[in-house]
Amino acid sequence: MKKKLRVIIVWTLISLLLQFGAYSYLNNKVKQVINPNKPNNTPITRQLKAEIPGSDLSNIQVSYAKDYIAYTENGTFKVFNLQKQKVVFEKAPPSNDKSLGVLTYQWLPDRNTLLYFYAKKNPNPVTYVTVYPTKTEPAKTTQTPTQTPTTNEPKTEDPNEKTNDKTNDKTTDKTTTKEPAKAETKETPAQPHVEKRYNNPQITELYSLELPDSDDITTAPDDRFNQSIDNFPAGGKIEELVVSTFTNLMYLTVKNESSELLLEIDVMKNVETLSKSGETIDNMAASDRYGTLYIDSKVGSTHQVLALDGSKRVTISKNNSDQILGIRDGSVYIGEVKNDQLVKIKTTDDLTHVTSNPSLKTEWEGSIPFGDSIRTLIGEDGQVIVYDNQTAYIVVDGKLSEVKLQGDENYVSVDGAELIQLTKNGNTTLAELQPLKSK
């Protein structure tokens, strides 16, 4: 009996161990599917030089694999293959109107796919629509016949009834006159009419541009139309664009002469306005885990750092000096800026359900120039990078280092791993790519 019990216990333990191993394997696989843009490998870096035709390049963005560069030259959007040293895609504006054409673009962080918005004039800003009246059926009138009361008593016949009836019939025939039939009146039905309707004078479209591997010379870029955004204000300028690849949510701030809008676009192509009337949004960042949007909101004299989860707004900080720096791997980075100097870097957890006024942990204190020309990002390793055209300031594990930049214009990849230095050379621009390393 004891031997049987021992065998049962051993096999039970073996079964539990096998189940635990299977569950762990499945859990890792599910994590890879849910968050594919978080591989175990370090970010891709390259060290190369390329001669790009043109000398007036702007809004430089390098792909996640560091083999393509997207830029704008004299209003024309272009993509340059760094490996093959040639332009592989370009899209010019539809006219000389500077407010039209490609408004903005951004590489996805985990593949050679680029999203961009394209604006053109609406050929039919005014349309005429025939409106037909709704059909209504006339109300039916029903006559209820008069009923004579009935009794259970048997009817007795009056012997004089027949005589009286004959007499009455004769009298009735002589005195009764027929009334003339009433003329039927028909209502004239309402006629259809034409209405003038005003449409948005601008058509704004969202495209996705998928590029093959940079060494593939046979496959052409796939330029796909995704959707039109009907409520995009004509002449509006896209100030910021952030994408949460985990939730497939896209957020953009659009400014024109009269207003500023914060728009959300989901995977079902629904467009929703999230901003409030009179609200100004200076910075924003989207969670790479839950899709929560963090913004610097200003309404009148009130400045706050807010978290937006759908229509729900949660206050993160009411300090007028705080602003969003970025989000990476479950941490929200907030900078305290005073007198154009970044004096403190704080973090809070990026949670599924955001709570009001969470505790902020100070990660670094010091002084970094933080003027209007400054750009900020959070690198793959959690490093905070603040840079302009002369210097890159890098904060890692509470320590600050500086890297002097050599190009006429300098850019850092969104993962913080690659430095792109551009130097004008006559009618061309020399692009030099190298890993960004703190010293």
Side-chain angles (χ1 to χ4, degrees), residues 37 58-65 68-72 77-79 89 102-118 205-211 222-224 226 238-246 248-253 284-288 293 327-328 376-377 412-415:
N37 60 325
S58 60
N59 194 10
I60 304 296
Q61 294 186 33
V62 65
S63 64
Y64 98 102
Y68 288 101
I69 278 185
Y71 60 93
T72 301
F77 169 59
K78 297 182 179 181
V79 179
F89 180 83
V102 175
L103 303 178
T104 193
Y105 44 89
Q106 182 170 305
W107 291 100
L108 293 182
D110 56 352
R111 71 204 80 160
N112 277 344
T113 301
L114 188 144
L115 303 176
Y116 71 91
F117 290 84
Y118 187 82
E205 300 169 331
L206 172 63
Y207 287 83
S208 61
L209 180 66
E210 296 185 13
L211 294 117
D222 185 8
D223 186 27
R224 291 184 187 176
N226 283 309
I238 298 178
E239 295 286 324
E240 286 192 79
L241 168 64
V242 296
V243 180
S244 174
T245 53
F246 180 81
N248 288 318
L249 289 173
M250 186 183 309
Y251 303 96
L252 56 151
T253 53
M284 62 180 184
S287 168
D288 52 359
L293 182 69
I327 302 174
R328 181 74 70 173
T376 307
L377 59 91
V412 179
S413 60
V414 293
D415 55 17

Coordinates of all heavy atoms in Angstrom, one line a residue, residues 37 58-65 68-72 77-79 89 102-118 205-211 222-224 226 238-246 248-253 284-288 293 327-328 376-377 412-415:
N37 N 7.3 44.4 -30.2 CA 8.3 45.5 -30.4 C 9.3 45.6 -29.2 O 10.1 46.5 -29.0 CB 7.7 46.8 -30.6 CG 6.8 47.2 -29.4 OD1 6.2 46.4 -28.8 ND2 6.8 48.5 -29.1
S58 N 14.9 68.7 -44.3 CA 14.3 69.0 -43.0 C 13.5 67.8 -42.4 O 13.1 66.9 -43.2 CB 13.4 70.2 -43.0 OG 12.3 70.0 -43.9
N59 N 13.2 67.8 -41.1 CA 12.4 66.8 -40.4 C 13.0 65.4 -40.7 O 12.3 64.5 -41.2 CB 10.9 66.8 -40.8 CG 10.1 66.0 -39.9 OD1 10.5 65.5 -38.9 ND2 8.8 65.8 -40.3
I60 N 14.3 65.2 -40.4 CA 15.0 64.0 -40.6 C 14.5 62.9 -39.6 O 14.5 63.1 -38.4 CB 16.5 64.1 -40.5 CG1 17.0 65.2 -41.4 CG2 17.2 62.8 -40.8 CD1 16.8 64.9 -42.9
Q61 N 14.2 61.7 -40.2 CA 13.8 60.6 -39.3 C 14.4 59.3 -39.9 O 14.2 59.0 -41.1 CB 12.2 60.4 -39.2 CG 11.6 61.6 -38.5 CD 10.1 61.4 -38.3 OE1 9.6 60.2 -38.1 NE2 9.3 62.4 -38.4
V62 N 15.0 58.5 -39.0 CA 15.6 57.3 -39.4 C 14.8 56.1 -39.0 O 14.1 56.2 -38.0 CB 17.1 57.2 -38.9 CG1 17.0 57.0 -37.3 CG2 17.8 56.0 -39.5
S63 N 14.7 55.1 -39.9 CA 13.9 53.9 -39.6 C 14.5 53.1 -38.4 O 15.6 53.3 -38.0 CB 13.8 53.0 -40.8 OG 15.0 52.5 -41.2
Y64 N 13.7 52.2 -37.9 CA 14.1 51.4 -36.7 C 15.3 50.6 -37.0 O 16.2 50.3 -36.1 CB 12.9 50.6 -36.2 CG 13.0 49.1 -36.6 CD1 13.4 48.1 -35.8 CD2 12.6 48.7 -37.9 CE1 13.4 46.8 -36.1 CE2 12.6 47.4 -38.3 CZ 13.1 46.5 -37.4 OH 13.1 45.1 -37.8
A65 N 15.5 50.1 -38.3 CA 16.6 49.3 -38.7 C 17.8 50.1 -39.1 O 18.9 49.6 -39.5 CB 16.3 48.3 -39.8
Y68 N 17.0 53.3 -43.6 CA 16.2 54.3 -44.4 C 16.2 55.6 -43.7 O 16.1 55.6 -42.4 CB 14.8 53.8 -44.7 CG 14.6 52.7 -45.6 CD1 14.4 51.4 -45.2 CD2 14.7 52.9 -47.0 CE1 14.3 50.3 -46.1 CE2 14.5 51.9 -47.9 CZ 14.3 50.6 -47.4 OH 14.2 49.5 -48.3
I69 N 16.2 56.7 -44.4 CA 16.0 58.0 -43.8 C 14.8 58.7 -44.6 O 14.7 58.7 -45.8 CB 17.2 58.9 -44.0 CG1 18.2 58.6 -42.9 CG2 16.9 60.4 -43.9 CD1 19.4 59.5 -42.8
A70 N 13.8 59.2 -43.8 CA 12.7 60.0 -44.3 C 13.0 61.5 -44.1 O 13.5 61.8 -43.0 CB 11.4 59.6 -43.7
Y71 N 12.7 62.3 -45.1 CA 12.9 63.7 -44.9 C 12.0 64.5 -45.9 O 11.4 63.9 -46.8 CB 14.4 64.1 -45.2 CG 14.9 63.7 -46.5 CD1 14.9 64.6 -47.6 CD2 15.4 62.4 -46.8 CE1 15.4 64.3 -48.8 CE2 15.9 62.1 -48.0 CZ 15.9 63.0 -49.1 OH 16.3 62.7 -50.3
T72 N 12.0 65.8 -45.7 CA 11.3 66.7 -46.7 C 12.3 67.6 -47.3 O 13.2 68.2 -46.7 CB 10.2 67.5 -45.9 OG1 9.3 66.6 -45.3 CG2 9.5 68.4 -46.8
F77 N 8.1 65.1 -50.0 CA 8.4 64.1 -49.0 C 9.2 63.0 -49.7 O 8.8 62.5 -50.8 CB 7.1 63.5 -48.4 CG 7.3 62.2 -47.6 CD1 8.1 62.2 -46.5 CD2 6.6 61.1 -47.9 CE1 8.3 61.1 -45.7 CE2 6.8 59.9 -47.2 CZ 7.6 59.9 -46.1
K78 N 10.3 62.6 -49.1 CA 11.2 61.6 -49.7 C 11.7 60.5 -48.7 O 11.8 60.8 -47.5 CB 12.4 62.2 -50.4 CG 12.1 63.2 -51.5 CD 13.3 63.8 -52.2 CE 12.9 64.7 -53.3 NZ 14.1 65.3 -54.0
V79 N 12.0 59.3 -49.2 CA 12.6 58.3 -48.4 C 13.9 57.8 -49.1 O 13.8 57.5 -50.3 CB 11.6 57.1 -48.2 CG1 12.3 56.0 -47.4 CG2 10.4 57.6 -47.5
F89 N 11.4 56.5 -52.7 CA 10.0 57.0 -52.7 C 10.0 58.5 -52.5 O 10.8 59.0 -51.8 CB 9.3 56.3 -51.5 CG 7.8 56.7 -51.4 CD1 6.9 56.1 -52.2 CD2 7.4 57.7 -50.6 CE1 5.5 56.5 -52.2 CE2 6.1 58.1 -50.5 CZ 5.1 57.5 -51.3
V102 N 2.3 66.4 -47.9 CA 2.6 65.6 -46.7 C 2.7 66.5 -45.5 O 3.6 67.4 -45.4 CB 3.8 64.7 -46.9 CG1 4.1 64.0 -45.6 CG2 3.6 63.7 -48.0
L103 N 1.8 66.4 -44.5 CA 1.8 67.2 -43.3 C 2.8 66.8 -42.2 O 3.5 67.6 -41.6 CB 0.4 67.3 -42.7 CG -0.8 67.7 -43.6 CD1 -2.1 67.7 -42.9 CD2 -0.5 69.1 -44.1
T104 N 2.9 65.5 -42.0 CA 3.8 64.9 -41.0 C 3.9 63.4 -41.3 O 3.1 62.8 -42.0 CB 3.4 65.2 -39.6 OG1 4.5 64.9 -38.7 CG2 2.2 64.3 -39.2
Y105 N 4.9 62.8 -40.7 CA 5.2 61.4 -40.9 C 5.9 60.8 -39.6 O 6.5 61.6 -38.9 CB 6.0 61.1 -42.1 CG 7.1 62.0 -42.4 CD1 8.4 61.7 -41.9 CD2 7.0 63.2 -43.1 CE1 9.5 62.6 -42.1 CE2 8.0 64.1 -43.3 CZ 9.3 63.8 -42.8 OH 10.3 64.6 -43.0
Q106 N 5.9 59.5 -39.5 CA 6.6 58.9 -38.4 C 6.8 57.4 -38.6 O 5.9 56.7 -39.1 CB 5.8 59.1 -37.1 CG 6.5 58.5 -35.9 CD 5.8 58.9 -34.6 OE1 5.6 60.1 -34.3 NE2 5.4 57.9 -33.8
W107 N 8.0 56.9 -38.4 CA 8.3 55.5 -38.5 C 7.7 54.8 -37.3 O 7.6 55.3 -36.2 CB 9.8 55.3 -38.4 CG 10.5 55.7 -39.6 CD1 11.3 56.9 -39.7 CD2 10.7 55.1 -40.9 NE1 11.8 57.0 -41.0 CE2 11.5 55.9 -41.7 CE3 10.2 53.9 -41.4 CZ2 11.8 55.6 -43.0 CZ3 10.5 53.6 -42.8 CH2 11.3 54.4 -43.5
L108 N 7.2 53.6 -37.6 CA 6.8 52.7 -36.5 C 8.0 52.1 -35.8 O 9.1 51.9 -36.5 CB 5.9 51.6 -37.0 CG 4.5 52.0 -37.5 CD1 3.7 50.7 -37.9 CD2 3.7 52.8 -36.5
P109 N 8.0 51.9 -34.5 CA 9.2 51.6 -33.8 C 9.7 50.2 -33.9 O 10.8 49.8 -33.4 CB 8.9 51.9 -32.3 CG 7.4 51.6 -32.2 CD 6.9 52.1 -33.6
D110 N 9.0 49.3 -34.6 CA 9.4 47.9 -34.7 C 9.4 47.3 -36.1 O 9.5 46.1 -36.2 CB 8.4 47.1 -33.8 CG 6.9 47.2 -34.3 OD1 6.7 48.1 -35.1 OD2 6.1 46.5 -33.8
R111 N 9.4 48.2 -37.1 CA 9.4 47.7 -38.5 C 9.7 48.8 -39.5 O 9.6 50.0 -39.1 CB 8.1 47.0 -38.8 CG 6.9 47.9 -39.0 CD 5.6 47.3 -38.7 NE 5.3 47.2 -37.3 CZ 4.0 47.0 -36.8 NH1 3.0 46.9 -37.7 NH2 3.9 46.9 -35.6
N112 N 9.9 48.5 -40.7 CA 10.2 49.5 -41.7 C 8.9 50.0 -42.4 O 8.6 49.8 -43.5 CB 11.1 48.9 -42.8 CG 12.6 49.0 -42.5 OD1 12.9 49.7 -41.5 ND2 13.4 48.3 -43.2
T113 N 8.0 50.5 -41.5 CA 6.7 51.0 -41.9 C 6.6 52.5 -41.4 O 6.9 52.8 -40.3 CB 5.6 50.2 -41.4 OG1 5.7 48.9 -41.8 CG2 4.2 50.8 -41.8
L114 N 6.2 53.3 -42.3 CA 6.1 54.7 -42.0 C 4.7 55.2 -42.2 O 4.0 54.9 -43.2 CB 7.1 55.5 -42.9 CG 7.3 57.0 -42.7 CD1 8.7 57.3 -42.9 CD2 6.4 57.8 -43.5
L115 N 4.1 56.0 -41.3 CA 2.8 56.6 -41.4 C 2.9 58.0 -41.8 O 3.8 58.7 -41.3 CB 2.0 56.5 -40.1 CG 1.8 55.1 -39.5 CD1 1.2 55.2 -38.1 CD2 1.0 54.2 -40.4
Y116 N 2.0 58.5 -42.7 CA 2.1 59.9 -43.0 C 0.7 60.4 -43.4 O -0.2 59.6 -43.8 CB 3.1 60.2 -44.2 CG 2.7 59.6 -45.5 CD1 2.0 60.4 -46.4 CD2 3.1 58.4 -46.0 CE1 1.6 60.0 -47.7 CE2 2.7 57.9 -47.2 CZ 2.0 58.7 -48.1 OH 1.7 58.2 -49.4
F117 N 0.5 61.7 -43.2 CA -0.8 62.4 -43.5 C -0.6 63.3 -44.7 O 0.4 64.0 -44.8 CB -1.2 63.2 -42.3 CG -1.7 62.4 -41.2 CD1 -0.8 62.0 -40.2 CD2 -3.0 62.2 -41.0 CE1 -1.2 61.2 -39.1 CE2 -3.4 61.4 -39.9 CZ -2.5 61.0 -39.0
Y118 N -1.5 63.2 -45.7 CA -1.4 63.9 -46.9 C -2.7 64.8 -47.1 O -3.8 64.3 -47.0 CB -1.3 62.9 -48.1 CG -1.0 63.6 -49.4 CD1 0.3 64.0 -49.8 CD2 -2.0 63.8 -50.4 CE1 0.5 64.6 -51.0 CE2 -1.8 64.4 -51.6 CZ -0.5 64.8 -51.9 OH -0.2 65.4 -53.1
E205 N -5.8 62.7 -45.8 CA -5.8 61.3 -45.9 C -4.6 60.7 -45.1 O -3.5 61.3 -45.0 CB -5.6 60.8 -47.3 CG -6.8 61.3 -48.2 CD -6.6 61.1 -49.7 OE1 -5.4 61.1 -50.1 OE2 -7.5 60.9 -50.4
L206 N -4.8 59.5 -44.5 CA -3.8 58.8 -43.8 C -3.3 57.6 -44.6 O -4.1 56.9 -45.1 CB -4.3 58.3 -42.5 CG -3.4 57.4 -41.7 CD1 -2.1 58.1 -41.2 CD2 -4.1 56.8 -40.4
Y207 N -1.9 57.6 -44.8 CA -1.3 56.5 -45.6 C -0.3 55.7 -44.7 O 0.2 56.3 -43.7 CB -0.5 57.1 -46.8 CG -1.4 57.6 -47.9 CD1 -2.0 58.8 -47.9 CD2 -1.7 56.8 -49.0 CE1 -2.8 59.3 -48.9 CE2 -2.4 57.3 -50.1 CZ -3.0 58.5 -50.0 OH -3.8 59.0 -51.0
S208 N 0.0 54.5 -45.1 CA 1.1 53.7 -44.5 C 2.0 53.3 -45.6 O 1.5 52.8 -46.7 CB 0.5 52.5 -43.7 OG -0.2 51.6 -44.6
L209 N 3.3 53.5 -45.5 CA 4.3 53.2 -46.5 C 5.1 52.1 -45.9 O 5.9 52.3 -44.9 CB 5.1 54.4 -46.8 CG 6.2 54.2 -47.8 CD1 5.6 53.9 -49.2 CD2 7.1 55.4 -47.9
E210 N 5.0 50.9 -46.5 CA 5.8 49.8 -46.1 C 7.0 49.6 -47.1 O 6.8 49.5 -48.3 CB 4.9 48.5 -46.0 CG 3.8 48.6 -45.0 CD 3.1 47.3 -44.9 OE1 3.5 46.3 -45.4 OE2 2.0 47.3 -44.3
L211 N 8.2 49.5 -46.5 CA 9.4 49.3 -47.3 C 10.0 48.0 -47.1 O 10.0 47.4 -46.0 CB 10.4 50.4 -47.0 CG 9.9 51.8 -47.4 CD1 9.8 52.7 -46.2 CD2 10.8 52.5 -48.4
D222 N 5.4 49.8 -50.7 CA 3.9 49.6 -50.8 C 3.3 50.8 -50.1 O 3.2 50.9 -48.9 CB 3.5 48.3 -50.0 CG 2.0 48.0 -50.2 OD1 1.3 48.7 -50.9 OD2 1.5 47.1 -49.5
D223 N 2.7 51.7 -50.9 CA 2.1 52.9 -50.4 C 0.6 52.7 -50.4 O -0.1 52.6 -51.4 CB 2.4 54.1 -51.4 CG 1.9 55.4 -50.9 OD1 1.8 55.5 -49.6 OD2 1.6 56.3 -51.7
R224 N 0.1 52.6 -49.1 CA -1.3 52.2 -48.9 C -2.2 53.3 -48.4 O -1.8 54.0 -47.4 CB -1.5 51.0 -48.0 CG -1.0 49.7 -48.5 CD -1.2 48.6 -47.5 NE -0.6 47.4 -47.9 CZ -0.6 46.3 -47.2 NH1 -1.2 46.3 -46.0 NH2 -0.1 45.1 -47.6
N226 N -5.2 54.5 -46.2 CA -5.9 53.9 -45.0 C -7.3 54.5 -44.9 O -8.2 53.8 -44.8 CB -5.1 54.1 -43.8 CG -3.9 53.1 -43.7 OD1 -4.1 51.9 -43.8 ND2 -2.7 53.6 -43.5
I238 N -0.1 69.8 -38.2 CA 0.1 68.8 -37.1 C 1.3 69.1 -36.3 O 2.4 69.1 -36.8 CB 0.2 67.4 -37.8 CG1 -1.1 67.0 -38.5 CG2 0.4 66.3 -36.7 CD1 -1.1 65.7 -39.2
E239 N 1.1 69.4 -35.1 CA 2.2 69.8 -34.2 C 2.9 68.6 -33.7 O 4.2 68.5 -33.7 CB 1.7 70.6 -33.0 CG 1.1 72.0 -33.4 CD 2.2 73.0 -33.8 OE1 3.2 72.9 -33.2 OE2 1.9 73.8 -34.7
E240 N 2.2 67.6 -33.2 CA 2.8 66.3 -32.7 C 2.0 65.1 -33.1 O 0.8 65.2 -33.3 CB 2.8 66.4 -31.1 CG 3.9 67.3 -30.6 CD 4.0 67.1 -29.1 OE1 4.7 66.1 -28.7 OE2 3.5 67.9 -28.3
L241 N 2.7 64.0 -33.2 CA 2.1 62.7 -33.6 C 2.7 61.6 -32.8 O 4.0 61.5 -32.8 CB 2.3 62.5 -35.1 CG 1.9 61.0 -35.6 CD1 0.5 60.7 -35.4 CD2 2.3 60.9 -37.0
V242 N 1.9 60.9 -32.0 CA 2.5 59.8 -31.2 C 1.6 58.6 -31.5 O 0.4 58.7 -31.8 CB 2.5 60.1 -29.7 CG1 3.5 61.2 -29.4 CG2 1.1 60.4 -29.2
V243 N 2.2 57.4 -31.5 CA 1.6 56.1 -31.8 C 1.8 55.1 -30.7 O 3.0 55.0 -30.2 CB 2.1 55.6 -33.2 CG1 1.3 54.3 -33.5 CG2 1.8 56.6 -34.3
S244 N 0.8 54.4 -30.3 CA 0.9 53.3 -29.3 C 0.7 52.0 -30.1 O -0.4 51.7 -30.5 CB -0.1 53.4 -28.2 OG 0.0 52.3 -27.4
T245 N 1.8 51.4 -30.5 CA 1.7 50.2 -31.3 C 1.0 49.0 -30.6 O 0.4 48.1 -31.2 CB 3.1 49.7 -31.7 OG1 4.0 49.5 -30.6 CG2 3.8 50.7 -32.7
F246 N 1.1 49.0 -29.2 CA 0.4 48.0 -28.5 C -1.1 48.0 -28.7 O -1.7 47.0 -28.8 CB 0.8 48.1 -27.0 CG 0.2 47.0 -26.1 CD1 0.7 45.8 -26.0 CD2 -1.0 47.3 -25.4 CE1 0.2 44.8 -25.2 CE2 -1.6 46.3 -24.6 CZ -1.0 45.1 -24.5
N248 N -2.6 50.1 -31.0 CA -2.9 50.6 -32.4 C -3.7 51.9 -32.3 O -4.6 52.2 -33.1 CB -3.7 49.6 -33.2 CG -2.8 48.5 -33.7 OD1 -1.7 48.6 -34.1 ND2 -3.4 47.2 -33.6
L249 N -3.4 52.7 -31.3 CA -4.0 54.0 -31.2 C -3.0 55.1 -31.6 O -1.8 55.0 -31.4 CB -4.4 54.3 -29.7 CG -5.6 53.6 -29.1 CD1 -5.7 53.8 -27.7 CD2 -6.9 53.9 -29.9
M250 N -3.6 56.1 -32.3 CA -2.7 57.2 -32.8 C -3.3 58.5 -32.3 O -4.5 58.7 -32.3 CB -2.8 57.2 -34.4 CG -1.9 58.2 -35.0 SD -2.1 58.1 -36.8 CE -1.9 56.3 -37.1
Y251 N -2.4 59.4 -31.8 CA -2.8 60.7 -31.3 C -2.1 61.8 -32.0 O -0.9 61.7 -32.3 CB -2.5 60.8 -29.8 CG -3.2 59.7 -28.9 CD1 -2.4 58.6 -28.6 CD2 -4.5 59.9 -28.5 CE1 -3.0 57.6 -27.8 CE2 -5.0 58.9 -27.7 CZ -4.3 57.8 -27.4 OH -4.9 56.8 -26.6
L252 N -2.8 62.9 -32.4 CA -2.2 64.0 -33.0 C -2.8 65.3 -32.6 O -4.0 65.4 -32.4 CB -2.2 63.9 -34.6 CG -3.6 63.7 -35.2 CD1 -3.5 64.3 -36.6 CD2 -4.0 62.3 -35.4
T253 N -2.0 66.3 -32.4 CA -2.5 67.7 -32.1 C -2.4 68.5 -33.4 O -1.4 68.5 -34.2 CB -1.6 68.3 -31.1 OG1 -0.2 68.3 -31.5 CG2 -1.7 67.7 -29.7
M284 N 3.2 65.6 -25.5 CA 2.4 64.4 -25.2 C 3.3 63.2 -25.4 O 4.2 63.2 -26.2 CB 1.1 64.4 -25.9 CG 1.3 64.4 -27.4 SD -0.4 64.3 -28.2 CE 0.0 64.2 -29.9
A285 N 2.9 62.1 -24.8 CA 3.5 60.8 -25.0 C 2.5 59.7 -24.7 O 1.7 59.8 -23.8 CB 4.7 60.6 -24.0
A286 N 2.6 58.6 -25.5 CA 1.6 57.5 -25.4 C 2.3 56.3 -24.8 O 3.4 56.0 -25.1 CB 1.0 57.1 -26.8
S287 N 1.6 55.7 -23.9 CA 2.1 54.5 -23.2 C 2.4 53.4 -24.2 O 1.5 53.1 -25.1 CB 1.1 54.0 -22.2 OG 1.4 52.7 -21.7
D288 N 3.5 52.7 -24.1 CA 3.9 51.6 -25.0 C 3.3 50.3 -24.5 O 3.6 49.2 -25.1 CB 5.4 51.5 -25.2 CG 6.1 51.5 -23.9 OD1 5.5 51.5 -22.8 OD2 7.4 51.4 -24.0
L293 N -2.6 58.1 -22.8 CA -2.0 59.3 -23.3 C -1.7 60.3 -22.2 O -2.6 60.6 -21.4 CB -2.8 60.0 -24.4 CG -2.2 61.2 -25.1 CD1 -1.0 60.8 -25.9 CD2 -3.2 62.0 -25.9
I327 N 7.9 58.2 -22.2 CA 7.5 56.9 -21.6 C 8.3 55.8 -22.1 O 8.6 55.7 -23.4 CB 6.0 56.6 -21.8 CG1 5.1 57.8 -21.3 CG2 5.6 55.3 -21.1 CD1 3.7 57.6 -21.6
R328 N 8.8 54.9 -21.2 CA 9.5 53.7 -21.7 C 9.4 52.6 -20.7 O 9.7 52.9 -19.5 CB 11.0 54.1 -22.0 CG 11.8 53.0 -22.5 CD 11.5 52.6 -23.9 NE 12.0 53.7 -24.8 CZ 12.0 53.6 -26.2 NH1 11.5 52.5 -26.7 NH2 12.4 54.6 -26.9
T376 N 13.7 66.1 -26.9 CA 13.9 65.2 -25.8 C 13.3 63.8 -26.2 O 12.3 63.8 -26.8 CB 13.1 65.7 -24.5 OG1 13.6 67.0 -24.2 CG2 13.4 64.8 -23.3
L377 N 14.0 62.8 -25.7 CA 13.4 61.4 -25.9 C 14.0 60.5 -24.8 O 15.0 60.8 -24.1 CB 13.8 60.9 -27.3 CG 15.2 60.7 -27.7 CD1 15.8 59.4 -27.3 CD2 15.4 61.0 -29.2
V412 N 18.7 62.2 -33.3 CA 18.9 61.0 -32.6 C 17.7 60.1 -32.9 O 16.6 60.6 -32.9 CB 19.1 61.2 -31.1 CG1 19.2 59.9 -30.3 CG2 20.3 62.1 -30.8
S413 N 18.0 58.8 -33.1 CA 16.9 57.9 -33.4 C 16.0 57.8 -32.2 O 16.4 58.0 -31.0 CB 17.4 56.5 -33.8 OG 18.2 56.0 -32.8
V414 N 14.7 57.4 -32.4 CA 13.7 57.3 -31.3 C 14.1 56.3 -30.2 O 13.6 56.4 -29.0 CB 12.3 57.0 -31.8 CG1 11.8 58.2 -32.7 CG2 12.3 55.7 -32.6
D415 N 14.9 55.3 -30.5 CA 15.4 54.4 -29.5 C 16.6 54.9 -28.7 O 17.1 54.2 -27.8 CB 15.6 53.0 -30.1 CG 16.6 53.0 -31.2 OD1 17.4 54.0 -31.4 OD2 16.7 52.0 -32.0

